[in-house]
Amino acid sequence: MNELDYALETVDEETFENLAAAFLRSRGYRTREIGVSETFDGWDARVAMRVRSGIAHASIAEDWREQLRADAEKLKEMEEERNERYHLFVFVTNRDVTGQQEYDMEDEIAEEYGWRLRLYHRQDLLGEIYNNVPGLAKHHLDVNLGFDTDHLANLEELLTERLNAIQERRDEATDLDPGPTVAIHVVPNGIFSTRKTRSTADMPDPSVLSEPVSVATDARGKLKVAYDRDGGLGYRGYALLRNDGLYESVTTRLFYESEPGELLLRASAEDDAPGLDASVVVAVRETLAHLSSMGYSATASVWISVLGAADAKLDRGRVERSSTSPPALGIDRYSTEVVTTSIADREREAVLEDLEPALSELWRQFGYSEGTRHVEDGEWHDGVVGDDLPSP
């Protein structure tokens, strides 16, 4: 158990309540703290996320389920007494919660009270603090993450190792078709923790980028691999899912030559050919569902990389094809800054909102200063894909 994990395990009630309030704000909730409440015997706040509004509560009770049920019952009484209608009940605990426990409790609260439960637990807190707001650790728990386990550095080292293997056509990329590639990596926060070894036979089949028609799946050792075969000896792309939660998908399908010597990366779907943005969103959402089924329920880090594409330009599709276009990428390897997304909250709007910074960063690297034209404020624009994005 590292220093931050230990601090969350032993935190006192008042400190945890202050941390929970800051955590919720970092997750995008609008909060108005009520403070110590006679209703809940602790801290609570009015919260809102997008169009939903409700009440949040924080607790360090060892039996978090008993505490959550008791708070839900009291919240129902308050709702009736005040003649108000709540849509959201947010519960923050410093205890560990499994994915199945989370789903069961969400169903129970929805059936009993008609509210949507958002349950945040220790792994959620660890993921958010490590990846997005390390200052909360110092401010509330007196833990300086600069001297901790260098979680992000470990993730970046893992990413570099995998990208090297792809470019050098090693490991699962040995028979990948030559040429430039797009790769995405999704890494759950708990990848470096000690977990029970999962049988690959029980793991879901990984989702392959760019929605190939024919996929061949193979289970080996500690991973499952799905190959996008195209009739030849090699393959156009693949996806792998390891039993520690690492997901990687690589494809050459998103690149094409519009004329001899002009290499383009297809950003928008066109003539039934998938585009970069939609391919990434679909693959990430499906992967989050797979990670949830494997027992992960906190957050995941996501990177989008373009390899061997220094001469490629970004093709925006039919919207704008003029005689002048932005320059080629000019870099042999480019990876976006890491973005973090919730494994539990896989609604389309939430995933789109989380991935938009990475997609826009990639568009800007190709010379489009406004970023992606497909995603804005958690909404999909340009009806090529639109509402057809599947729900995991």
Side-chain angles (χ1 to χ4, degrees):
M1 182 179 291
N2 62 35
E3 187 178 4
L4 179 58
D5 215 348
Y6 179 77
L8 285 174
E9 172 76 19
T10 58
V11 65
D12 64 80
E13 186 172 4
E14 182 178 356
T15 300
F16 185 68
E17 290 167 352
N18 291 330
L19 174 64
F23 166 79
L24 291 178
R25 287 191 290 270
S26 75
R27 296 288 302 186
Y29 287 89
R30 300 187 303 277
T31 65
R32 182 166 65 84
E33 295 178 37
I34 301 172
V36 177
S37 168
E38 294 180 359
T39 303
F40 292 106
D41 301 321
W43 173 90
D44 64 292
R46 291 184 180 274
V47 294
M49 172 65 83
R50 301 186 184 94
V51 297
R52 295 186 178 95
S53 61
I55 297 293
H57 182 65
S59 172
I60 60 171
E62 186 171 350
D63 190 337
W64 61 268
R65 280 178 287 197
E66 180 180 342
Q67 184 66 54
L68 190 154
R69 290 181 177 119
D71 287 345
E73 186 174 340
K74 293 175 183 178
L75 177 58
K76 182 61 178 178
E77 293 173 1
M78 187 173 75
E79 185 181 48
E80 293 174 349
E81 289 172 1
R82 298 182 179 181
N83 194 27
E84 296 177 333
R85 179 72 178 100
Y86 302 134
H87 304 278
L88 188 64
F89 178 31
V90 180
F91 188 86
V92 187
T93 174
N94 66 330
R95 303 300 173 180
D96 284 318
V97 179
T98 68
Q100 189 59 54
Q101 289 172 337
E102 187 171 352
Y103 285 140
D104 290 346
M105 190 57 71
E106 287 175 354
D107 291 343
E108 179 179 326
I109 294 300
E111 182 177 348
E112 184 74 19
Y113 302 105
W115 307 324
R116 180 180 181 191
L117 172 67
R118 287 300 292 116
L119 173 57
Y120 294 106
H121 51 86
R122 187 187 314 205
Q123 290 301 319
D124 294 311
L125 291 163
L126 288 171
E128 182 74 7
I129 292 171
Y130 269 126
N131 295 329
N132 295 331
V133 283
L136 294 186
K138 179 63 177 175
H139 183 73
H140 294 283
L141 302 172
D142 197 26
V143 174
N144 189 340
L145 293 183
F147 298 95
D148 200 29
T149 57
D150 289 328
H151 180 71
L152 185 56
N154 290 336
L155 290 177
E156 291 175 343
E157 181 179 348
L158 175 62
L159 176 67
T160 299
E161 173 188 317
R162 295 307 309 163
L163 293 179
N164 288 342
I166 296 167
Q167 284 199 284
E168 296 166 11
R169 295 302 195 264
R170 291 188 284 107
D171 303 335
E172 291 71 36
T174 298
D175 295 320
L176 182 65
D177 287 352
T181 59
V182 171
I184 58 172
H185 289 86
V186 181
V187 184
N189 178 60
I191 192 170
F192 298 123
S193 64
T194 301
R195 306 180 68 90
K196 293 180 180 179
T197 301
R198 301 174 180 85
S199 168
T200 54
D202 300 328
M203 288 166 49
D205 294 342
S207 174
V208 183
L209 261 176
S210 76
E211 303 176 323
V213 175
S214 177
V215 173
T217 304
D218 181 27
R220 61 175 76 163
K222 297 180 179 180
L223 54 82
K224 258 191 177 181
V225 187
Y227 295 99
D228 171 14
R229 299 197 181 277
D230 199 23
L233 296 177
Y235 40 88
R236 302 287 300 277
Y238 70 87
L240 67 84
L241 183 61
R242 289 194 331 204
N243 65 353
D244 62 0
L246 170 70
Y247 167 81
E248 170 181 289
S249 189
V250 183
T251 185
T252 61
R253 282 186 180 274
L254 293 170
F255 291 92
Y256 71 100
E257 286 192 355
S258 62
E259 56 185 59
E262 185 175 42
L263 180 65
L264 297 177
L265 169 57
R266 184 184 298 106
S268 303
E270 190 169 323
D271 299 329
D272 296 326
L276 169 70
D277 290 11
S279 295
V280 168
V281 172
V282 170
V284 170
R285 287 192 72 205
E286 292 180 349
T287 300
L288 296 177
H290 294 161
L291 291 175
S292 178
S293 72
M294 293 169 65
Y296 293 96
S297 61
T299 58
S301 300
V302 181
W303 290 266
I304 309 170
S305 303
V306 180
L307 309 174
D311 297 328
K313 299 179 180 180
L314 193 68
D315 178 14
R316 288 181 42 162
R318 298 186 181 94
V319 169
E320 181 181 306
R321 285 197 177 125
S322 62
S323 57
T324 61
S325 63
L329 180 62
I331 303 173
D332 187 56
R333 175 190 292 189
Y334 185 83
S335 296
T336 61
E337 294 291 328
V338 63
V339 294
T340 303
T341 189
S342 170
I343 294 173
D345 189 7
R346 301 186 306 277
E347 289 190 3
R348 191 181 75 164
E349 292 79 5
V351 176
L352 286 171
E353 188 173 329
D354 290 339
L355 292 180
E356 189 276 333
L359 293 170
S360 285
E361 178 189 343
L362 198 55
W363 278 58
R364 286 191 289 269
Q365 190 64 30
F366 275 97
Y368 291 99
S369 60
E370 72 278 14
T372 177
R373 66 182 178 86
H374 292 130
V375 184
E376 184 176 354
D377 297 329
E379 295 292 333
W380 182 268
H381 296 274
D382 181 19
V384 176
V385 180
D387 293 333
D388 295 331
L389 284 174
S391 298

